[in-house]
Amino acid sequence: GRPDVFKGSGLGEGRLSVFTASGGLFGGNLKGYHVTLLTRDRRVSILAYGPEAEFETLRPTYLAVCRSFGR
């Protein structure tokens, strides 16, 4: 999906997008968040995903994990 501004992390502002991917050999689709946070000296990429059918239930947990990153 199109990246949106992501705020709330201790590392500062970043970008967040929702993605869907094939589950590969194990079947079923995966859905989750890809977050990229940039600081002066590093880039942090976070992938938080699970079964597509459970995405709405897991969404608050994924966002909490992404916001928990700090210096």
Side-chain angles (χ1 to χ4, degrees):
R2 183 180 174 150
D4 292 321
V5 174
F6 177 74
K7 295 183 180 182
S9 167
L11 294 177
E13 185 178 294
R15 296 294 179 265
L16 170 132
S17 62
V18 177
F19 70 91
T20 303
S22 169
L25 296 173
F26 303 108
N29 287 336
L30 302 173
K31 189 169 183 177
Y33 285 117
H34 177 218
V35 176
T36 301
L37 303 165
L38 297 173
T39 68
R40 259 189 359 209
D41 59 348
R42 68 183 66 138
R43 178 192 73 186
V44 177
S45 290
I46 305 164
L47 293 174
Y49 61 90
E52 185 175 29
E54 298 176 26
F55 180 72
E56 290 304 320
T57 303
L58 295 172
R59 180 186 294 244
T61 303
Y62 293 160
L63 291 174
V65 168
C66 293
R67 286 189 181 105
S68 72
F69 281 77
R71 288 196 176 248

